[in-house]
C-alpha cells in the first residue's frame, strides 16, 4: 500500500507534531516521579482540528501519570498564551494555526 501525494504531505506535516507530543508525554511522566504536580496548559484556539491531538496527549498524561493534575485553558479572552506563560499563570502554551 502506498500513500497518495496528499497523504505523504500530511504525514510529513504531522510527524513533527507527533514527535513533539511524545516528548511532552515523556517529560510529563518524568515530572510525576516522586511528587504530585499541577500543570496548566493554555491553548489557542481550542477549536482547531489539531487541538484533538493536544487533548489526547493530555489524556494520556493523566492516565500514565496520575500524580499530575492537568488543567486546560482554551480561548482565554483576558490573557494571550504568551502572557499567561510569562506571567506564570500557565506552565505550557500551545498556539495552533
Amino acid at each position: 500500500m502506498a500513500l497518495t501525494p496528499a497523504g505523504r504531505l500530511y504525514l510529513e506535516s504531522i510527524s513533527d507534531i507527533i514527535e513533539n507530543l511524545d516528548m511532552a508525554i515523556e517529560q510529563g511522566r518524568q515530572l510525576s516521579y516522586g511528587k504530585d504536580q499541577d500543570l496548566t496548559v493554555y491553548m489557542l484556539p481550542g477549536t482547531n482540528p489539531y487541538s484533538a491531538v493536544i487533548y489526547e496527549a493530555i489524556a494520556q498524561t493523566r492516565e500514565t501519570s496520575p500524580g499530575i493534575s492537568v488543567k486546560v485553558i482554551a480561548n482565554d479572552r483576558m490573557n494571550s498564551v504568551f502572557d499567561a506563560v510569562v506571567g506564570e499563570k500557565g506552565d505550557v502554551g500551545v498556539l495552533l494555526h
Side-chain angles (χ1 to χ4, degrees):
M1 177 166 36
L3 293 173
T4 65
R8 283 191 298 277
L9 180 63
Y10 179 72
L11 181 60
E12 289 173 17
S13 298
I14 65 167
S15 292
D16 289 339
I17 294 170
I18 293 169
E19 182 178 328
N20 288 337
L21 288 173
D22 287 342
M23 287 185 338
I25 290 168
E26 181 57 32
Q27 289 171 352
R29 286 184 185 132
Q30 291 175 6
L31 280 174
S32 69
Y33 293 135
K35 56 185 173 180
D36 291 342
Q37 295 285 326
D38 293 325
L39 180 66
T40 302
V41 178
Y42 268 76
M43 181 168 61
L44 283 174
T47 56
N48 185 291
Y50 294 118
S51 64
V53 176
I54 304 301
Y55 287 119
E56 178 62 28
I58 291 167
Q60 287 183 17
T61 299
R62 286 178 174 152
E63 183 178 310
T64 60
S65 303
I68 297 179
S69 172
V70 181
K71 178 180 180 182
V72 178
I73 299 174
N75 300 324
D76 182 353
R77 302 209 190 291
M78 300 301 289
N79 295 290
S80 70
V81 170
F82 176 80
D83 290 339
V85 173
V86 169
E88 298 183 3
K89 295 178 182 176
D91 301 298
V92 177
V94 179
L95 295 172
L96 302 167
H97 59 86

